[in-house]
Amino acid sequence: MNLPVLIRYISHTLHTFVRICSPDGQIQCAVCDVGGLEDTLIKQPDVYDFLLHRENTDLPIIKGINDTIAYVQFFVDSDCFLVGPVSFSSPLYPLHQLEHVIIDSQLKNHLSVFSYHHFCEVILFFYNVLAKESLSEDEFISCNFVKSFSSDQLQQDFSDYLFERQESEQKHNPYDQECREQKSIEDGDIEQLKRSIAEDYSGSPGVLSHDSLRNFKNLCIVVITLASRSAIRGGMSPELSFSLSDNAIQRIEAENNLVQLEKMLREIEIQYAQMVNEIKKAQKGTLAHRKNPHIIKCKDYIFSHLHDKITMDDLAYETGCSPNYLSQLFKEHEGISPLQYILREKINRAKNLLVYSDYTYSEIAAYLGFSSQSHLGKQFKKFTGYTPMEYRRNFMRQNP
């Protein structure tokens, strides 16, 4: 193995130092592929001792500095490898952490910023090339972030919690009500959903946090997640459903008024039911109730590429079907051809942009892959009976 080339590759990839140290903690050589980078941290005696201290394992150990900078130490045979410093895009909380360290601003500015997953991939590659046995990402996470606990502890905690609820005669809301609520979303039955939401019962929602606001937000996230899965079972594209869920949860996280949160949650559930209802109306008399993986993949691709020009060849390549077979299969399940479906979805997206954005008609046409503003206008009127200007004038929401 050409170790110098490997070390230089790791240094170049992570834009930092790779050092080889002796077992007693002396740096024998250091390689850095970044010109002008000076590691002022390791010159501090307490940081040096922390970084070179050998833990009770030879596996890669992340040594964190103030939650935002880290090194990795691991041993292979008699050599100790130390990689770092590396900066992260979000705080890192490894088990081995040194806090309240003075960090030179020049060093901070010199370090490249990485995501944890990219960093993990590079370190695992480095270690697995050198070590006799390969290390998985789960094992890497376990030895760096997971405090040891036993299944007995989990069981004890659950037993104590269960005893406390039984003593206080606390009950959860009935499961059958939840089933009715989710089934109404799956069926696109808006009125049944409203009736299910309005049901009165003696139980209470789960306790997911001892902070009341955080608890309700957590409950909202659970309900939205269940609603998104129910909508997928009802025929919604998984990608569309997941995107709505992501956006809804972001809205929930940004709101701190409990009354407003509950109103938002119910509106989100109803929005899911309405979208499923529209899908079922469009699919009436087709084979849509029989889920087909090619159709699901096709619709997900269309949703993800609505701002592009989509061809039958694109869809055929994505699904692994011939264009003719896919077109026939799609029409059997959706009642329209793939190209008609694409146009319908583009018009739906245009309606959304006309109502909720300030984009010009030509910008909307360009974003959605129409050849011109007039092309968009012609297709839009064919589908809606309105010109884009008339639709915006009649339906645009005014900003508060």
Side-chain angles (χ1 to χ4, degrees), residues 114-179:
F114 291 92
S115 69
Y116 161 74
H117 288 291
H118 183 200
F119 175 71
C120 176
E121 285 177 0
V122 176
I123 294 300
L124 284 175
F125 169 75
F126 188 23
Y127 176 80
N128 288 335
V129 167
L130 296 175
K132 294 183 177 68
E133 295 184 5
S134 62
L135 182 71
S136 70
E137 184 175 356
D138 284 344
E139 291 168 324
F140 182 65
I141 291 171
S142 294
C143 64
N144 282 290
F145 297 100
V146 181
K147 295 179 181 178
S148 61
F149 61 89
S150 67
S151 57
D152 287 342
Q153 287 176 287
L154 290 175
Q155 186 60 43
Q156 181 64 52
D157 288 345
F158 173 61
S159 179
D160 292 344
Y161 180 74
L162 194 60
F163 180 81
E164 180 183 331
R165 286 189 67 88
Q166 289 171 336
E167 281 292 294
S168 59
E169 297 184 347
Q170 296 180 54
K171 293 189 302 183
H172 286 91
N173 288 339
Y175 175 60
D176 60 336
Q177 186 278 334
E178 179 183 303
C179 290

Side-chain angles (χ1 to χ4, degrees), residues 190-230:
I190 300 164
E191 294 308 313
Q192 177 57 45
L193 174 61
K194 291 178 179 178
R195 287 194 293 271
S196 298
I197 290 172
E199 287 182 26
D200 190 21
Y201 24 77
S202 59
S204 63
V207 179
L208 307 183
S209 171
H210 293 298
D211 176 86
S212 59
L213 177 61
R214 182 68 263 167
N215 181 66
F216 193 77
K217 286 187 177 184
N218 289 344
L219 290 169
C220 289
I221 292 169
V222 170
V223 172
I224 292 167
T225 301
L226 291 173
S228 72
R229 274 53 178 181
S230 297

Side-chain angles (χ1 to χ4, degrees), residues 161-311:
Y161 180 74
L162 194 60
F163 180 81
E164 180 183 331
R165 286 189 67 88
Q166 289 171 336
E167 281 292 294
S168 59
E169 297 184 347
Q170 296 180 54
K171 293 189 302 183
H172 286 91
N173 288 339
Y175 175 60
D176 60 336
Q177 186 278 334
E178 179 183 303
C179 290
R180 286 191 291 275
E181 195 169 313
Q182 296 307 317
K183 187 66 167 63
S184 61
I185 294 173
E186 182 179 342
D187 292 341
D189 191 334
I190 300 164
E191 294 308 313
Q192 177 57 45
L193 174 61
K194 291 178 179 178
R195 287 194 293 271
S196 298
I197 290 172
E199 287 182 26
D200 190 21
Y201 24 77
S202 59
S204 63
V207 179
L208 307 183
S209 171
H210 293 298
D211 176 86
S212 59
L213 177 61
R214 182 68 263 167
N215 181 66
F216 193 77
K217 286 187 177 184
N218 289 344
L219 290 169
C220 289
I221 292 169
V222 170
V223 172
I224 292 167
T225 301
L226 291 173
S228 72
R229 274 53 178 181
S230 297
I232 291 170
R233 291 194 299 273
M236 186 181 291
S237 154
E239 188 60 35
L240 176 58
S241 183
F242 293 153
S243 296
L244 176 56
S245 171
D246 291 347
N247 179 255
I249 290 171
Q250 289 172 35
R251 289 170 57 202
I252 291 293
E253 286 294 340
E255 179 59 58
N256 293 321
N257 183 305
L258 282 169
V259 176
Q260 184 66 18
L261 276 170
E262 183 165 6
K263 185 173 185 295
M264 285 171 60
L265 175 63
R266 299 315 178 191
E267 287 176 351
I268 291 162
E269 285 189 283
I270 289 170
Q271 185 177 4
Y272 266 116
Q274 286 173 333
M275 293 176 78
V276 172
N277 183 272
E278 290 171 7
I279 290 167
K280 289 188 178 298
K281 283 180 181 176
Q283 294 173 336
K284 195 171 182 180
T286 70
L287 300 178
H289 61 283
R290 287 164 51 184
K291 304 294 187 296
N292 184 287
H294 296 311
I295 302 303
I296 292 171
K297 189 178 288 188
C298 189
K299 290 167 72 174
D300 272 349
Y301 182 88
I302 291 168
F303 174 78
S304 300
H305 294 80
L306 275 181
H307 288 199
D308 304 326
K309 184 177 180 180
I310 307 169
T311 67

